[in-house]
Amino acid sequence: MSKLAYLGPEGTFSEEALRILAPEAERLSCPNVGAALEAVRRGVADAAVVPLENSLEGGIASTLDELVRGEPLLITAELLLPVRFSLLARPGTEIEHIKRVLTHPAAHTQCRGFIARELPDAVVVASASTAAAAQEVALPGSPYDAAIGAAIAGEHYGLLEIAANIGDRDDTVTRFVMVGRPAPLPAPTGADRTSTVAYLAEDHPGALLELLTEFSVRGVNLSRIESRPTGDGIGSYFFFFDFEGHVADARVGEAISGLHRVCADVRFLGSYPRADGIAPQIRRGTSDAEFAEAGEWLARVREGRL
């Protein structure tokens, strides 16, 4: 049986995602995303399930940063999980008495409207995860009156659901990914996604455009681009790219090869099936067959067979 690490403790959305992606796996709770990924790098876990992107908040900074540090890891699967938040408190707590709320920063961002409307005087404190917040609030003598998290976290730790579905939008989705050590990639399905990280060789006008051109001229559609600081000073960034297709596809392989030529470094994060199953639209001139025919034509030209 495989062992999968996740952002714990019990009752997080990460655990829910893991149960869906690998229901038979042994679960290893970790205090933060970095610890979950490090458990994979050290061989303590076979893979980890971590949040990567939220439809309201965007990329999850802690996951993005941890994926580019340390030994390379590969994304092998993804899941789109609808996220519903609840206000959780100890039995007997009235909402008007809630003055200190504990939750994860991402949950805070997604519930700002409810907090401003229903808890205008409450102080919101950050925790490592929504389940860790519920766990803390459940402790006798806890300085916090309530937590924001999944309803299942309240069930785990004996808290009552004071208010349900408190997110600012009811269609919020978080994208979770399964991450493992380098290994043979999942086979192409025709509805895949590829993720990479690219570092600029030098900062100059049009530098980002040069990277984007590698995708555009080959008909590769980007689904996400995000910059993160390298830590080497103000204005120094690297870029995360998610795009349609599999590295085995000619157009995708050529695009990544192009990035490698013009960038200081490129970290390949994986090609894996899309959770939504949507296949890309292949633009004229960018199919595998057309790339192969162009290569054969070039070979003839180089041999003087016109």
Side-chain angles (χ1 to χ4, degrees), residues 264-276:
D265 189 23
V266 175
R267 175 168 284 202
F268 177 73
L269 296 179
S271 290
Y272 45 94
R274 287 180 58 150
D276 56 18

Side-chain angles (χ1 to χ4, degrees), residues 46-117:
D46 299 299
V49 174
V50 294
L52 184 66
E53 179 186 9
N54 179 267
S55 61
L56 190 62
E57 188 187 37
I60 307 299
S62 59
T63 304
L64 299 178
D65 291 345
E66 291 294 341
L67 283 173
V68 303
R69 298 172 182 162
E71 293 298 313
L73 296 171
L74 286 177
I75 299 171
T76 58
E78 69 174 14
L79 172 73
L80 302 179
L81 183 72
V83 174
R84 304 289 182 268
F85 293 103
S86 298
L87 183 66
L88 309 169
R90 293 179 294 275
T93 302
E94 301 291 339
I95 192 168
E96 58 267 22
H97 297 149
I98 294 175
K99 301 301 180 184
R100 288 176 62 82
V101 178
L102 191 64
T103 192
H104 188 271
H108 183 194
T109 298
Q110 296 172 55
C111 299
R112 283 176 177 163
F114 174 87
I115 294 169
R117 185 175 62 254

Side-chain angles (χ1 to χ4, degrees), residues 4-291:
L4 270 63
Y6 69 97
L7 172 61
E10 287 185 321
T12 59
F13 292 108
S14 294
E15 184 193 13
E16 184 178 350
L18 188 159
R19 287 175 177 270
I20 296 171
L21 283 168
E24 303 300 323
E26 180 183 352
R27 296 184 296 279
L28 174 64
S29 172
C30 296
N32 52 58
V33 169
L37 295 181
E38 192 57 30
V40 178
R41 290 188 173 106
R42 292 188 289 110
V44 176
D46 299 299
V49 174
V50 294
L52 184 66
E53 179 186 9
N54 179 267
S55 61
L56 190 62
E57 188 187 37
I60 307 299
S62 59
T63 304
L64 299 178
D65 291 345
E66 291 294 341
L67 283 173
V68 303
R69 298 172 182 162
E71 293 298 313
L73 296 171
L74 286 177
I75 299 171
T76 58
E78 69 174 14
L79 172 73
L80 302 179
L81 183 72
V83 174
R84 304 289 182 268
F85 293 103
S86 298
L87 183 66
L88 309 169
R90 293 179 294 275
T93 302
E94 301 291 339
I95 192 168
E96 58 267 22
H97 297 149
I98 294 175
K99 301 301 180 184
R100 288 176 62 82
V101 178
L102 191 64
T103 192
H104 188 271
H108 183 194
T109 298
Q110 296 172 55
C111 299
R112 283 176 177 163
F114 174 87
I115 294 169
R117 185 175 62 254
E118 304 293 339
L119 302 169
D121 299 322
V123 175
V124 181
V125 181
S127 66
S129 70
T130 53
Q135 187 179 48
E136 167 62 32
V137 169
L139 294 175
S142 172
Y144 304 103
D145 304 310
I148 293 175
I152 192 174
E155 298 172 9
H156 268 300
Y157 301 110
L159 301 178
L160 295 183
E161 188 178 55
I162 304 299
N165 296 327
I166 65 173
D168 294 339
R169 298 188 55 147
D170 58 9
D171 58 352
T172 302
V173 173
T174 295
R175 177 179 161 218
F176 288 86
V177 292
M178 184 180 294
V179 183
R181 292 181 292 278
L185 303 179
T189 66
D192 302 292
R193 194 189 313 276
T194 295
S195 300
T196 61
V197 177
Y199 294 78
L200 292 175
E202 60 178 22
D203 184 18
H204 61 268
L208 178 56
L209 178 60
E210 291 175 0
L211 272 59
L212 297 177
T213 299
E214 298 295 337
F215 297 104
S216 177
V217 298
R218 297 173 176 90
V220 176
N221 188 40
L222 295 179
S223 56
R224 187 176 68 90
I225 176 174
E226 186 163 347
S227 62
R228 292 292 300 160
T230 64
D232 295 333
I234 296 295
S236 179
Y237 290 86
F238 54 85
F239 297 89
F240 282 86
F241 294 104
D242 284 339
F243 43 95
E244 295 176 347
H246 193 284
V247 68
D249 300 332
R251 68 188 186 284
V252 173
E254 290 276 351
I256 295 176
S257 178
L259 286 181
H260 182 72
R261 289 196 305 271
V262 301
C263 291
D265 189 23
V266 175
R267 175 168 284 202
F268 177 73
L269 296 179
S271 290
Y272 45 94
R274 287 180 58 150
D276 56 18
I278 297 176
Q281 293 186 353
I282 309 301
R283 209 172 70 198
R284 182 180 180 277
T286 63
S287 69
D288 283 4
E290 287 165 316
F291 269 97

